[in-house]
Amino acid sequence: MLIIPAIDLKDGKCVRLKQGVMNDATIFSDDPGATAAHWLKLGAKRLHVVDLNGAAAGRPRNEQAIKAIVKAVGDKMPIQLGGGIRDLDTIEAYLDSGISYIIIGTAAVKTPGFLHDACSAFLGHIMVALDAKDGKVAVDGWSKMTGHDVVDLAKKFQDYGVEAVIYTDIGRDGMLSGVNIDATVALARELTVPVIASGGITDLDDIKALCKVESEGIMGAITGRAVYQGTLDFAEAQKLADKLSKSKA
């Protein structure tokens, strides 16, 4: 089980939002490169990066911060990146710069042909992010609900060749209210590609709960506010996840 620290970028700084609201941002660092190096030093095996301005604008906006993050970790830790990625040229440029995985969210729902083309061109490097509430997918920074069922869409995108599905319960993200284990497991059971849980992780109890259902197809969990505010000790969380995974092996 990978415990994946998140770096959300807004105006070149590392922030966390509550339920995706851009105007409700807490700044945790003005040095994204140093933040990335910090997580690497603590034993992170992967990093989750989101260009929040890019997601809002529909095109990359935090290129310098992203470059600093890549430079800080080199080839020591894979980086998965999302936010405002809408064309194949942008994907290629990011992959060439050292990013390992590209996350496509709103664009996958609105223009599934783009996701299909991306998976075809960059097989093994494309993830899809599905943000849902009550089983229905949200788009545009969670500001708009669609009628799409999250399981149906995930199955469709799995057939395209996505590497993994990042599932966020948007009612819990940034709220430190615990992971929606039931919904995450229900989705993972319907898929053959792995699911990465996101939204609501608060403490070691959440890590234990996720590790219990790892065999259902849940490969990791993204954590943001909890590790920045200190309700979750990242190093302890990854050690615990490694220990629990080994005990099942």
Side-chain angles (χ1 to χ4, degrees), residues 1 3 207 211 236-246:
M1 173 77 68
I3 310 303
I207 305 303
C211 286
E236 288 301 315
Q238 187 61 68
K239 284 178 188 173
L240 176 64
D242 290 343
K243 178 182 175 182
L244 293 175
S245 294
K246 283 178 184 175

